[in-house]
């Protein structure tokens, strides 16, 4: 595990904001797991290691798209064993679909006081008793509480569309973590400029993006651009190496915490070795403020000119 310090070199533009403690943001990277049990163990191990390396600051870790179950697992992604139904408020622990996998994760977050966002396959029974599945990501707080569940809006290609339904709300994954406004997108979502801009205009400061990426261009160029043009931090966690179920698929790694001044808080290589890296981000420091003052895209916008843009 590597750790870089951004500390007081960071800031965000938002007005009238009280000073907050620095936050540790981390991205996990490994081979994709085709076993739910192996994925849960990997999450627990990473949470424990992260807390050992950082004794005080709040920690939020990010894991890849469909981390529980494995992106390439095909029809198994919608099987009973590979899916989770998010518990309703007040629902007893261990008494809902998928609690075998989710409750140990929540308990580990609570024990070590570490938050996390991870991808999973969500199972929903609609009011008409029909069954739907979503490519989802969940934020769990450092007290074990479920902070948000986001469902992917832009499904990529026929593979995802054949297993999941698209969602219709980019803001469903917004949540607060130690006073910091966060939002979740998933993989293809971040490749649409409108997605990050929508969250930023709502006040989101940290965008967390689980991904399963094979093309390095988006990791190297698109993600840092989203951070730069919106004045927010974008965390991007990918798999690396061959998919265990789709041997022709090679994930490119390159997980990153991209910062608004064009720099990187941390960047992982293309290696498939299991690792994670963290950086300390002070969202009330100087560097982001200075970056936004130099390139204040939000203030320079002319939305009255954008509303009549034709559709293709």
């Amino acid at each position: 595990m590597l750790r870089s310090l951004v500390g007081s070199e960071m800031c965000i533009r938002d007005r009238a904001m009280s000073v907050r403690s620095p936050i540790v943001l981390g991205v996990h990277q490994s081979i994709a797991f085709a076993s739910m049990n192996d994925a849960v163990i990997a999450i627990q191990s990473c949470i424990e290691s992260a807390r050992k390396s950082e004794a005080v600051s709040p920690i939020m870790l990010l894991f890849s798209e469909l981390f529980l179950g494995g992106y390439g697992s095909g029809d198994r992604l919608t099987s009973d064993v590979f899916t989770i139904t998010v518990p309703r408020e007040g629902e007893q622990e261990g008494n809902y679909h998928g609690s075998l996998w989710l409750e140990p994760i929540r308990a580990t977050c609570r024990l070590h006081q570490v938050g996390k966002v991870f991808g999973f396959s969500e199972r929903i029974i609609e009011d008409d008793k029909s069954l739907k599945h979503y490519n989802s990501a969940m934020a769990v707080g450092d007290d074990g509480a479920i902070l948000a569940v986001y469902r992917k809006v832009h499904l990529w290609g026929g593979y995802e569309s054949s297993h999941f339904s698209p969602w219709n709300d980019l803001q469903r994954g917004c949540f607060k973590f130690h006073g910091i406004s966060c939002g979740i997108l998933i993989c293809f979502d971040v490749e649409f400029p409108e997605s990050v801009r929508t969250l930023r205009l709502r006040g989101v400061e940290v965008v967390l993006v689980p991904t399963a990426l094979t093309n390095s261009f988006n990791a190297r160029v698109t993600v840092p651009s989203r951070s730069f043009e919106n004045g927010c931090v974008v965390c991007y966690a990918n798999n690396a190496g061959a998919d265990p179920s789709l041997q022709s698929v090679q994930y490119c790694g390159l997980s990153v915490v991209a910062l608004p001044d064009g720099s990187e808080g941390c960047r992982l290589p293309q290696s498939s070795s299991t690792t994670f890296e963290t950086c300390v981000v002070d969202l009330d420091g100087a560097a982001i403020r200075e970056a936004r003052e130099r390139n204040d895209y939000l203030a320079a916008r002319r939305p009255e000119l954008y509303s009549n843009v034709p559709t293709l």
Side-chain angles (χ1 to χ4, degrees), residues 208-223:
L208 299 130
V209 188
T211 191
L213 184 74
T214 59
N215 184 342
S216 64
F217 178 85
N218 287 315
R220 294 188 185 278
V221 178
T222 305
V223 171

Side-chain angles (χ1 to χ4, degrees), residues 246-267:
L246 299 173
Q247 291 297 321
S248 61
V249 173
Q250 290 278 337
Y251 300 110
C252 66
L254 298 173
S255 302
V256 65
V257 175
L259 306 177
D261 61 359
S263 65
E264 296 174 349
C266 56
R267 165 76 77 176

Side-chain angles (χ1 to χ4, degrees), residues 43-44 47-48 51 59-61 87 91-94 96 99 101-116 118 138-147 177-178:
I43 288 173
Q44 291 175 310
I47 288 171
E48 293 168 7
R51 179 47 74 195
I59 301 173
M60 177 60 69
L61 301 177
E91 194 165 8
Q92 288 185 343
E93 295 181 2
Y96 59 90
S99 60
W101 312 119
L102 183 53
E103 286 307 314
I105 294 172
R106 295 177 67 187
T108 305
C109 288
R110 189 161 48 242
L111 175 64
H112 297 284
Q113 296 183 308
V114 173
K116 64 180 294 296
F118 66 99
M138 179 184 295
V140 178
D142 50 16
D143 59 355
I146 297 173
L147 302 178
F177 184 70
H178 289 268

Side-chain angles (χ1 to χ4, degrees), residues 62-73:
L62 178 65
F63 295 77
S64 65
E65 181 178 12
L66 294 169
F67 189 81
L68 291 186
Y71 183 86
S73 293

Side-chain angles (χ1 to χ4, degrees), residues 54-133:
E54 175 55 60
V56 179
S57 297
I59 301 173
M60 177 60 69
L61 301 177
L62 178 65
F63 295 77
S64 65
E65 181 178 12
L66 294 169
F67 189 81
L68 291 186
Y71 183 86
S73 293
D75 291 342
R76 288 179 295 170
L77 285 169
T78 55
S79 67
D80 284 348
V81 175
F82 278 59
T83 53
I84 294 173
T85 298
V86 179
R88 301 181 184 89
E89 187 174 352
E91 194 165 8
Q92 288 185 343
E93 295 181 2
N95 194 32
Y96 59 90
H97 180 81
S99 60
L100 173 66
W101 312 119
L102 183 53
E103 286 307 314
I105 294 172
R106 295 177 67 187
T108 305
C109 288
R110 189 161 48 242
L111 175 64
H112 297 284
Q113 296 183 308
V114 173
K116 64 180 294 296
V117 171
F118 66 99
F120 72 104
S121 177
E122 184 181 3
R123 174 183 178 268
I124 297 290
I125 299 177
E126 303 287 3
D127 292 339
D128 62 2
K129 305 303 181 184
S130 63
L131 190 63
K132 281 191 174 180
H133 296 92

Side-chain angles (χ1 to χ4, degrees), residues 143-187:
D143 59 355
I146 297 173
L147 302 178
V149 177
Y150 173 77
R151 296 166 181 164
K152 192 172 186 178
V153 168
H154 303 95
L155 298 180
W156 186 83
Y159 176 78
E160 291 185 18
S161 297
S162 66
H163 295 101
F164 301 108
S165 299
W167 192 242
N168 57 5
D169 183 4
L170 285 166
Q171 300 179 56
R172 193 178 197 273
C174 294
F175 64 96
K176 291 279 190 178
F177 184 70
H178 289 268
I180 295 169
S181 182
C182 302
I184 304 171
L185 298 172
I186 298 176
C187 197

